[in-house]
């Protein structure tokens, strides 16, 4: 059960996000301790949550920044991340975004196609600069997660496929304003089966051998993010098992002397510290179920509607006997449902409802659909 004082929560206009910065601090510290055992370097994926207090704490714990848009690069730098700690990925970087990142002299572009390499080369030439680049390779490894957040299969739009690498190396010979410094992989998100990462390591080792055979030395190997969190039992597993995660890469990755390993974690660092707090507007009896209608909806948290994802729902103010509810939002879409057949203490208008594990891909994915107001963020 969530550990906030309900009287304090009652003072805020619902719906709102509440972030536990103490838990965030503990999570970041644990992740860093485990990563540093192997000299691994972690970039935080801003796309999970780019709120300033979150970014500040992340930066203070020594993480770099993983960005997927020009505005994310800008947000990282404005929030104090050094440009040499910024990586920039994404299949569709615009010219303006590339130019901005070149001007900032970021650490590395994670490039996803030959065409993109050519464009970055052209734009860098105009500025008389050399762009540092890692090739994002599609390793064709199944992440065993929801299909919308699977990115490392050949059918996905992401990365350069293995059969193109030969021609990429030929192309790179001609591109005088590109310096190849690494390779990058990211196979998906919310990965809870660690053997998936073991399979990734096996593929990375194969690619490494291929590069060695072609006399290409790589300064760094970026294995992306994707470590999942426990949406079902947040209180039992507030901090993901970073020891097992980083230990696995140490055990199964074969590195060349001096090579650095980089990670890009988002969800695992911030998901559990955020909760969406909402108030019950109405209770309505349907044909086969009771509906608890909240003042928060898919506009505040779209994950259940988009990925049919589970978030634990708690009634913070009722202690009555449990009743079954479909917990829904006010938006004019039937997919605007946070959970079906959820057992909650008998729920009434005005009760406070917590939707847990919402710190990652919650607030950042909010929309103004139905011209909704943006929910506030509260930090404790
Ligand atoms: N690196 C790259 C290149 C990525 O595309 C992503 C996430 C990450 C790192 C961070 O992955 P994480 O450690 O957070 O799993 N909106 C979806 C998740 C989309 C993830 C997109 N890419 C959700 O709510 O589940």
């Amino acid at each position: 059960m969530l550990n906030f004082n309900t009287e304090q929560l009652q003072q805020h206009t619902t719906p709102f996000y509440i972030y536990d910065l103490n838990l965030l601090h503990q999570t970041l510290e644990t992740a860093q301790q485990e990563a540093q055992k192997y000299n691994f370097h972690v970039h935080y994926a801003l796309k999970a949550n780019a709120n300033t207090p979150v970014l500040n704490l992340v930066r203070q714990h020594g993480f770099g920044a993983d960005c997927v848009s020009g505005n994310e690069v800008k947000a990282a730098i404005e929030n104090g991340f050094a440009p040499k700690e910024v990586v920039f990925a994404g299949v569709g970087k615009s010219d303006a975004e590339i130019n901005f990142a070149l001007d900032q002299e970021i650490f590395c572009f994670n490039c996803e196609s030959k065409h993109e390499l050519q464009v970055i080369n052209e734009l860098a030439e105009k500025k008389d600069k050399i762009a540092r680049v890692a090739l994002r390779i599609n390793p064709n490894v199944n992440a065993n997660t929801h299909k919308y957040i699977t990115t490392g299969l050949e059918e996905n739009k992401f990365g350069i496929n293995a059969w193109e690498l030969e021609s990429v190396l030929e192309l790179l010979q001609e591109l005088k304003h590109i310096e190849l410094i690494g390779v990058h992989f990211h196979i998906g998100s919310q990965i809870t089966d660690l053997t998936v990462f073991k399979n990734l390591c096996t593929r990375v080792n194969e690619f490494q051998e291929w590069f060695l055979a072609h006399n290409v030395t790589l300064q760094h190997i970026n294995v992306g993010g994707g470590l999942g969190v426990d949406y079902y039992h947040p209180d039992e597993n507030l901090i993901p098992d970073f020891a097992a995660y980083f230990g696995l890469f140490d055990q199964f990755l074969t590195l060349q002397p001096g090579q650095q390993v980089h990670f890009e974690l988002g969800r695992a660092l911030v998901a559990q510290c955020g909760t969406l707090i909402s108030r019950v507007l109405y209770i309505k009896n349907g044909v086969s179920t009771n509906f608890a209608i909240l003042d928060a909806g898919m506009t505040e948290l779209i994950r259940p509607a988009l990925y049919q994802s589970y978030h634990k729902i708690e009634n913070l103010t009722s202690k009555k006997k449990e009743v079954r509810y479909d917990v829904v939002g006010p938006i004019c879409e039937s997919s605007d449902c946070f959970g079906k057949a959820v057992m909650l203490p008998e729920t009434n208008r005005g009760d406070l409802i917590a939707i847990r594990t919402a710190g990652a891909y919650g607030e950042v994915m909010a929309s103004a659909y139905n011209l909704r107001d943006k929910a506030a963020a509260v930090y404790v």
Side-chain angles (χ1 to χ4, degrees), residues 45 47-48 66 68 89 112 136 149 151 158 184 186 188-190 224-227 231 264-268 303 307 360-361 365:
K47 65 174 83 61
D66 163 42
V68 285
E112 309 228 7
R136 176 168 181 179
I149 50 176
T151 51
F158 299 97
H184 172 232
H186 174 76
S189 197
Q190 184 52 19
L227 176 62
Y231 283 94
E264 298 172 341
L265 291 176
R267 186 189 319 263
R303 302 193 68 258
Y307 318 112
Y361 307 110
M365 292 180 79

Side-chain angles (χ1 to χ4, degrees), residues 27 30-31 227-230 237-244 267-269 272:
T27 310
T30 310
L227 176 62
V229 298
D230 191 343
N237 292 303
L238 278 173
I239 299 183
D241 191 352
F242 293 111
R267 186 189 319 263
L269 298 174
Q272 297 292 18

Side-chain angles (χ1 to χ4, degrees), residues 112-126:
E112 309 228 7
S113 65
K114 281 195 274 186
H115 204 171
E116 184 191 333
L117 284 168
Q118 285 165 325
V119 171
I120 294 181
N121 184 65
E122 263 169 46
L123 296 175
E125 184 173 9
K126 282 193 191 135

Side-chain angles (χ1 to χ4, degrees), residues 64-97:
D66 163 42
C67 304
V68 285
S69 71
N71 283 345
E72 281 192 1
V73 173
K74 194 158 172 251
I77 291 170
E78 279 175 2
N79 282 287
F81 289 88
K84 69 170 188 349
E85 289 290 342
V86 173
V87 295
F88 183 14
V91 284
K93 303 176 187 77
S94 72
D95 292 18
E97 290 176 316

Side-chain angles (χ1 to χ4, degrees), residues 207-334:
F207 282 110
Q208 281 257 61
E209 295 208 352
W210 186 91
F211 278 100
L212 274 179
H214 288 74
N215 293 321
V216 179
T217 41
L218 301 161
Q219 292 164 29
H220 77 272
I221 309 290
N222 181 336
V223 291
L227 176 62
V229 298
D230 191 343
Y231 283 94
Y232 289 88
H233 312 100
D235 294 315
E236 290 83 343
N237 292 303
L238 278 173
I239 299 183
D241 191 352
F242 293 111
Y245 174 71
F246 290 118
L248 182 142
F249 283 93
D250 177 61
Q251 192 181 349
F252 294 106
L253 265 190
T254 309
L255 298 177
Q256 301 307 313
Q259 221 167 30
Q260 265 209 321
V261 185
H262 291 194
F263 292 80
E264 298 172 341
L265 291 176
R267 186 189 319 263
L269 298 174
V270 295
Q272 297 292 18
C273 81
T275 303
L276 176 60
I277 305 286
S278 175
R279 211 178 278 277
V280 178
L281 290 174
Y282 303 105
I283 298 293
K284 168 170 162 173
N285 295 313
V287 178
S288 57
T289 187
N290 302 304
F291 291 101
I293 303 172
L294 309 187
D295 63 4
M298 63 194 285
T299 40
E300 285 67 51
L301 180 67
I302 200 175
R303 302 193 68 258
L306 195 57
Y307 318 112
Q308 297 76 46
S309 57
Y310 175 88
H311 284 257
K312 190 165 187 211
I313 300 173
E314 292 167 354
N315 185 325
L316 301 178
T317 40
S318 168
K319 304 256 178 293
K320 297 186 186 142
K321 217 173 103 227
E322 288 203 330
V323 179
R324 195 182 304 271
Y325 295 95
D326 279 9
V327 181
V328 302
I331 307 302
C332 302
E333 299 271 348
S334 292

